[in-house]
Amino acid sequence: MSALVTGAGSGIGEAIALRLAKDGLAVAVNDLRADAAERVAQGIREAGGTAHAVAADVSDTTAVAKMVAEVRSVLGDPAILVNNAGHAHQAPFLEIAPEEFDRIFAVHVRGTFLVTRACLPAMLKAGTGVVVNIASQLGQIGGVDLVHYAGAKAAIIGMTKSLAREVSTRGVRVNAVAPGPINTPLVAALSEEWKTAKRAQLPLGRFGEPEEVAGVVSFLTSPEAALFVGQTLGPNSGDVML
Ligand code: NAD
């Protein structure tokens, strides 16, 4: 059985790819950066797993179609899809350039739409499949200087619920994971001021590690998660309690 993880050349996506490979899945490792995807795929193979690196920009319709066709021919149709690719950008609302707003929505929202759209037909045909969308707790509570990012992540939560309602009776479970701050290059790039203030707010007093998010994704892909449909799970150090 195979899984496709987007943005798996770094951080949370890399940890998810490694974890799903350990779970016994053949993993398609996507990233915008071919070298990063290949590094992670190579690591999985060296550990005895099966992996195939596939570079593509998830916001590009043609590239996504090509990527999914390649994954299908090498590993078979993905039974599991993790929409993880993303980037962050911080700016006060009035300083967000329309181009930056569009790029955030293109990668996170359009990317999730395009890759799911390419993988879903095979899942529906098989009558089984799991989609996990990586949102963010900022999509639940918002964040200063993050209107575009938080807006895109809120959109992903809405898309998750709607698609889950549409396809759950046909064997495909769709859920989201909304992490709090996790130690990855994406968070390292945020301002020190933001990180210090954020850490102080967390009941747990620390940021999470990528592996701690990967464990949640692994659970959602497992048969134990059979009753989880359209949910948003929050590995967030206690920052958001729903
Ligand atoms: P990261 O920067 O370490 O990894 C993101 C990866 O996605 C990179 O390798 C990058 O090249 C790839 N990528 C970016 N745009 C892409 C595109 N258009 N097509 C394909 N690949 C692309 O970041 P991360 O922290 O691991 O973030 C992973 C996901 O988790 C993102 O969706 C992010 O928004 C989300 N998230 C992160 C945190 C956090 O605190 N780190 C918290 C909540 C949600």
Side-chain angles (χ1 to χ4, degrees), residues 78-92:
I80 290 167
L81 166 64
V82 184
N83 285 304
N84 165 82
H87 69 288
H89 179 257
Q90 274 182 308

Side-chain angles (χ1 to χ4, degrees), residues 6-14 30-33 36 56-60 83-88 103 106-108 134-138 149 153 156 177-187 190 194 207 210:
T6 68
S10 169
I12 294 170
E14 175 176 358
N30 156 262
D31 205 278
L32 194 53
R33 298 171 298 128
D57 179 343
V58 297
S59 70
D60 179 329
N83 285 304
N84 165 82
H87 69 288
R103 184 64 188 154
V107 175
H108 292 267
I134 305 301
S136 165
Q137 66 166 14
L138 296 171
Y149 180 82
K153 291 306 198 182
I156 287 174
V177 176
I182 307 296
N183 285 319
T184 71
L186 179 144
V187 159
L190 299 178
W194 185 89
F207 291 177

Side-chain angles (χ1 to χ4, degrees), residues 11 14 23 38 47 108 110 112 125 129 144 149 176 188 197 210 222 224:
E14 175 176 358
D23 290 348
E38 186 46 47
H108 292 267
R110 180 181 162 85
T112 295
K125 196 167 169 215
V144 174
Y149 180 82
S222 76
E224 275 108 315

Side-chain angles (χ1 to χ4, degrees), residues 137 141 181 193-202 207 239:
Q137 66 166 14
I141 56 170
E193 196 187 0
W194 185 89
K195 283 185 278 191
T196 305
K198 193 75 221 174
R199 207 174 275 112
Q201 277 172 16
L202 299 175
F207 291 177
D239 203 16

Side-chain angles (χ1 to χ4, degrees), residues 7 27 30 39 45 49 51 64 101 124 131 137 139 156 179-180 198 214 217 232 239:
V27 181
N30 156 262
R39 179 186 62 78
R45 288 192 292 266
V64 166
F101 181 91
L124 291 173
V131 178
Q137 66 166 14
I156 287 174
K198 193 75 221 174
V217 174
T232 301
D239 203 16

Side-chain angles (χ1 to χ4, degrees), residues 11 35-36 87 103 113 128 132 135-136:
D35 57 336
H87 69 288
R103 184 64 188 154
F113 168 72
T128 182
V132 180
S136 165

Side-chain angles (χ1 to χ4, degrees), residues 77-163:
D77 284 309
I80 290 167
L81 166 64
V82 184
N83 285 304
N84 165 82
H87 69 288
H89 179 257
Q90 274 182 308
F93 177 72
L94 292 177
E95 292 171 24
I96 299 172
E99 295 72 22
E100 191 58 55
F101 181 91
D102 288 348
R103 184 64 188 154
I104 285 274
F105 271 73
V107 175
H108 292 267
V109 181
R110 180 181 162 85
T112 295
F113 168 72
L114 289 179
V115 184
T116 305
R117 181 173 167 266
C119 293
L120 190 63
M123 294 183 185
L124 291 173
K125 196 167 169 215
T128 182
V130 176
V131 178
V132 180
N133 295 326
I134 305 301
S136 165
Q137 66 166 14
L138 296 171
Q140 297 168 310
I141 56 170
V144 174
D145 295 345
L146 288 159
V147 162
H148 44 351
Y149 180 82
K153 291 306 198 182
I156 287 174
I157 293 171
M159 289 161 73
T160 301
K161 293 176 181 176
S162 299
L163 186 62

